[in-house]
Amino acid sequence: MLDTDEFRSALGQFATGVTVITTLDDEGEPHSMTANAFSSICLAPPTIMVCIAHGTNTHGFMEKTHRFGVNILTQEQQDLGAYFARRPENRIGDVEYHYSESENKTPVLDGSMVFFGCEVLGSHVYGDHTIYIGLVKEIRRNESGAPLMFYNSGWYNPGGN
Ligand SMILES: Cc1cc2nc3c(=O)[nH]c(=O)nc-3n(C[C@H](O)[C@H](O)[C@H](O)COP(=O)(O)O)c2cc1C
């Protein structure tokens, strides 16, 4: 039997970028959550995937709206990455952020390096997560600054600045 702590620790050795998944809540207001379970799939059709826990608000919203945004964070957005990793009732503190609206009405988190506006093309439920395949309908880019990274359960800056 695999040891869960050892599994979690070993997974943490995979350094990733950090995204914020944007959706619309039940009132049609923007909702965000931090996610690093993101990957490209195909160039044609242009597809990506994200893996979303069933306990999150985001999962419920994506099940209803069938669209979502992936916003790749910069190091300057580390506070936002930490903020959107908490459940909304625990999101306290002095963070400033603004949204724009994509062509298909998905919220764009301003200041992110890249935004992918996606329609859910398919999904696969496994355990307590759903893997969503997103068809990328829109890309916005704003590549100033270095990417925010996550490694070994913490924020990571390979340049050491
Ligand atoms: C670096 C980092 C990456 C995360 N990646 C994911 C992820 O890929 N999928 C996921 O379901 N939760 C992920 N989380 C946890 C969610 O951000 C967290 O559960 C959040 O509170 C969900 O917000 P919501 O319930 O309002 O949607 C991650 C957290 C951190 C700090």
Side-chain angles (χ1 to χ4, degrees), residues 7-61:
F7 182 43
R8 185 184 293 113
S9 163
L11 288 173
Q13 300 309 297
F14 185 56
T16 68
V18 181
T19 76
V20 161
I21 307 296
T22 43
T23 52
L24 291 176
D25 69 15
D26 294 341
E27 274 75 51
E29 296 297 323
H31 181 84
S32 289
M33 81 161 231
T34 301
N36 64 352
F38 161 76
S39 177
S40 57
I41 308 178
C42 301
L43 287 179
T47 40
I48 57 91
M49 56 185 265
V50 292
C51 188
I52 306 293
H54 294 165
T56 62
N57 294 295
T58 297
H59 174 259
F61 301 148

Side-chain angles (χ1 to χ4, degrees), residues 4 20 34 52 75 77 79 101-102 151 154-156:
T4 305
V20 161
T34 301
I52 306 293
Q75 285 185 8
Q77 293 173 303
D79 288 350
E101 198 175 68
S102 75
Y151 168 66
W155 308 115
Y156 179 58

Side-chain angles (χ1 to χ4, degrees), residues 54-76:
H54 294 165
T56 62
N57 294 295
T58 297
H59 174 259
F61 301 148
M62 281 174 63
E63 285 292 299
K64 288 182 186 154
T65 61
H66 304 291
R67 47 196 163 92
F68 64 98
V70 179
N71 302 261
I72 300 177
L73 298 191
T74 68
Q75 285 185 8
E76 287 71 44

Side-chain angles (χ1 to χ4, degrees), residues 18 99 131:
V18 181
Y99 295 106
I131 300 162

